[in-house]
Amino acid sequence: FVEKINQVQVDPNDYFVKIEGVEFYMKGTPEQLTRDACDIIDDDCPSKGVMKDTLSWLLRHQYVKSSITGVSKNVAIGSGMGLQHSGAVTDSAFFVKCERKWVMSSNV
């Protein structure tokens, strides 16, 4: 999806239409999501390093527990559906990977 949307050429006569994906789930490893979500922060921002470290820690320390077996497993993919930071992380990562090119275009 990311590769295809980044190949779309925007013409000055094109219209921008918002599309809402009702059942879209952004996924990625903790490393991928941390990199992409924090890429919206300017490199010269003094707290960028702290944000990256904090987000990386949150994403690497997610666990799910089976109500049947009682076994806990570390979550390897995703940002933690239902957790407070999850929506912001995936929104930021999606913006960086898919929307930023269009939003910053003078043709839009």
Side-chain angles (χ1 to χ4, degrees):
F1 174 80
V2 172
E3 290 174 16
K4 288 183 181 180
I5 199 167
N6 282 325
Q7 293 174 4
V8 173
Q9 298 296 314
V10 179
D11 185 86
N13 296 321
D14 289 341
Y15 290 93
F16 183 78
V17 179
K18 181 179 178 181
I19 300 171
E20 186 71 33
V22 175
E23 301 226 5
F24 175 81
Y25 300 102
M26 184 80 175
K27 66 179 184 177
T29 65
E31 296 79 19
Q32 291 168 326
L33 290 172
T34 298
R35 180 192 62 235
D36 294 338
C38 289
D39 197 39
I40 65 168
I41 304 169
D42 290 335
D43 289 333
D44 59 351
C45 177
S47 53
K48 184 172 184 171
V50 173
M51 292 296 293
K52 286 178 86 169
D53 291 346
T54 303
L55 182 56
S56 176
W57 189 91
L58 282 170
L59 294 175
R60 288 182 292 110
H61 292 86
Q62 299 180 97
Y63 293 86
V64 291
K65 183 176 181 180
S66 169
S67 60
I68 298 170
T69 65
V71 175
S72 294
K73 295 285 184 177
N74 182 250
V75 177
I77 302 290
S79 64
M81 288 177 53
L83 298 176
Q84 289 185 356
H85 66 275
S86 180
V89 169
T90 56
D91 287 349
S92 298
F94 187 80
F95 173 79
V96 166
K97 298 298 275 184
C98 301
E99 297 174 331
R100 179 166 49 190
K101 176 183 169 189
W102 289 20
V103 170
M104 301 300 185
S105 170
S106 61
N107 292 338
V108 175

